[in-house]
Amino acid sequence: MATYICGPSVLRLDGKVDTPIQPGDAFDTEFSEDQEALLLASGAITKAETPAASPAAPFTRSPVPAGPTDGAEHKE
Amino acid sequence: MAGSLSGKHVLYDVSMIVNSVDLSNEVEMVTIRVGMEPQKGDAMGDIQRYNFPGLQIVTDPKVTWYQDFAAAKVYATLYAAWAARSVFNIVAKGQSGANATTNPAWTIPVFVADMPVFVGTHGDRHMADVTFSIAGNVSVATS
């Protein structure tokens, strides 16, 4: 199953998607390899871009709490 | 006795889907016919020729489209299929509405047998007379 965007012509995927797919609409379906290749080649569909995985957050050290100042009163 | 209009209709809303792409609104003319191969049946003693029905024939479908070079339209759809030597389905209905006994949908596996790139005369409409060749068994859906 993949997500596609409908090109400039209406698509009718009887048996897969019940209603006609209008130009510009996104839809999920599974094409055979041959049919997908033809539809992509003719511009009838484009593959929806999958969102790029967000990069792992860089490791950062937590700030070290300031220690007691020499001579200061010790507080818990 | 007055005539009846029941079931009579004008052909104006044919649905023509090519490999799932709806190219209906660029069709000017469509021809889908079926037939039967006659096999000789007469023998000694008969004084007349006659046949019995042989294999069913679905004549190669023909469609006249307005030529359109835009993406996902007539040329791009058919050229992609021709270039890839693909077999694909065309689905044709007399009307664009839902499948019904009064609106049967014919699904026909085909390949592009003949298509024009540029054919026409100065000043004429640019049309594309396309012939498909049958590539498998047809099915008819009424629901």
Side-chain angles (χ1 to χ4, degrees), chain A:
Chain A
M1 187 76 79
T3 303
Y4 301 92
I5 308 293
C6 180
S9 289
V10 172
L11 293 179
R12 293 180 186 270
L13 306 177
D14 293 343
K16 293 181 178 175
V17 180
D18 291 338
T19 54
I21 302 165
Q22 301 300 319
D25 285 358
F27 62 99
D28 293 326
T29 195
E30 194 167 359
F31 290 116
S32 70
E33 202 172 307
D34 286 349
Q35 189 178 22
E36 183 193 57
L38 286 188
L39 293 172
L40 288 170
S42 70
I45 58 171
T46 53
K47 277 188 170 174
E49 289 183 19
T50 52
S54 53
F59 174 77
T60 54
R61 291 177 57 182
S62 301
V64 178
T69 308
D70 184 36
E73 181 183 0
H74 183 197
K75 293 180 179 174
E76 289 297 323

Side-chain angles (χ1 to χ4, degrees), chain B residues 68-142:
Chain B
D68 187 340
F69 292 100
K73 299 298 182 183
V74 175
Y75 176 83
T77 300
L78 298 174
Y79 174 78
W82 172 82
R85 303 170 61 85
S86 285
V87 170
F88 54 91
N89 284 338
I90 59 173
V91 182
K93 287 191 285 191
Q95 300 163 65
S96 62
N99 300 356
T101 52
T102 53
N103 191 29
W106 281 68
T107 299
I108 309 173
V110 296
F111 60 86
V112 175
D114 184 71
M115 64 173 276
V117 179
F118 314 104
V119 173
T121 305
H122 180 221
D124 284 354
R125 298 177 305 158
H126 192 182
M127 308 301 285
D129 291 314
V130 175
T131 301
F132 298 103
S133 190
I134 304 296
N137 291 329
V138 304
S139 60
V140 183
T142 55

